[in-house]
Amino acid sequence: MKALKKILLPSFWIVIVYWPVSFLVYSLKWDNLDVILPFRYFASQCFENGIFPLWNPYTALGYPVYADLQSPTFFPEVWITSIMGGYTNYTLHFWFVAYLIIGFLGFRRWLSSRGIGPYVSTGYALMYALSGFFVGHGQVIFATVAGAFIPWILYFYNAYRQSPRLIHLVGIFFFAFLLITGGYPTLTLQLGYFMVFMGL
């Protein structure tokens, strides 16, 4: 019960602070509606109909959609959403808020693993989830995805350096897979440089 409270209370604050998006009062804009929603909708419709999305004939006179990071064919979010009925503007809002909560949990876990107390780590993690990075990148979900998974990679990387166990290595690979297939490539590269710096 205590662990559930540690997740639900901060999640409640994230939902409330982002209430225009959480309660669908205002829509996410720009790239989310122009690019990301149509491409993910196409990929989810392909999966729903038993077709692996290799080629999109509807955009730019056709192109290999599986190779485009804007249509993350290999990202599990697309598979899950396809099973649940496909993409709409509503599901895009749900995923945006869900990534904020995932980022909060990862950032708090990373700070806690570095010896920072529970109240301070929760406070900093809330500041992270409510920061200008996520507000400013509310137009492009790739950056939100990257911001959600980078703290988890840092946590497992730090845990592996302190205690090299298989579970820590699996955590690094799992969240790195999510970051590479669904996150913003520039942030992935920057994380790689940062991890090399941490390792040295």
Side-chain angles (χ1 to χ4, degrees):
M1 185 64 179
K2 191 176 179 182
L4 192 62
K5 187 178 176 184
K6 286 167 80 174
I7 295 172
L8 290 180
L9 190 60
S11 299
F12 169 77
W13 283 112
I14 292 169
V15 168
I16 293 302
V17 169
Y18 286 95
W19 69 269
V21 175
S22 305
F23 298 111
L24 308 170
V25 176
Y26 296 111
S27 175
L28 296 171
K29 303 199 250 186
W30 313 122
D31 288 4
N32 279 332
L33 289 183
D34 301 2
V35 178
I36 294 164
L37 182 59
F39 288 3
R40 291 185 184 212
Y41 178 81
F42 171 77
S44 71
Q45 289 298 304
C46 286
F47 282 123
E48 276 187 67
N49 292 289
I51 301 166
F52 192 81
L54 294 173
W55 186 263
N56 183 350
Y58 304 112
T59 303
L61 301 175
Y63 77 104
V65 69
Y66 71 93
D68 186 354
L69 292 177
Q70 296 178 90
S71 177
T73 303
F74 302 102
F75 189 42
E77 174 204 307
V78 177
W79 309 336
I80 293 167
T81 309
S82 301
I83 293 168
M84 305 296 266
Y87 276 92
T88 65
N89 200 17
Y90 302 118
T91 54
L92 203 61
H93 285 70
F94 165 79
W95 282 113
F96 178 77
V97 175
Y99 288 130
L100 295 172
I101 294 169
I102 292 168
F104 160 78
L105 295 172
F107 202 82
R108 183 174 66 184
R109 175 68 64 93
W110 179 48
L111 292 177
S112 296
S113 74
R114 300 184 65 82
I116 297 173
Y119 295 112
V120 175
S121 60
T122 299
Y124 275 119
L126 263 176
M127 284 191 277
Y128 176 70
L130 306 176
S131 69
F133 173 81
F134 290 109
V135 173
H137 287 93
Q139 64 159 335
V140 55
I141 206 164
F142 302 123
T144 308
V145 168
F149 296 135
I150 284 174
W152 285 102
I153 294 170
L154 292 173
Y155 162 70
F156 280 109
Y157 180 67
N158 189 51
Y160 184 77
R161 289 179 63 227
Q162 291 175 353
S163 171
R165 295 171 50 203
L166 180 61
I167 188 70
H168 299 147
L169 201 57
V170 169
I172 293 170
F173 289 141
F174 174 71
F175 284 104
F177 169 76
L178 294 176
L179 179 62
I180 290 167
T181 57
Y184 196 59
T186 304
L187 295 174
T188 306
L189 292 171
Q190 290 172 345
L191 174 66
Y193 292 131
F194 182 66
M195 288 171 69
V196 168
F197 177 75
M198 282 177 64
L200 294 176

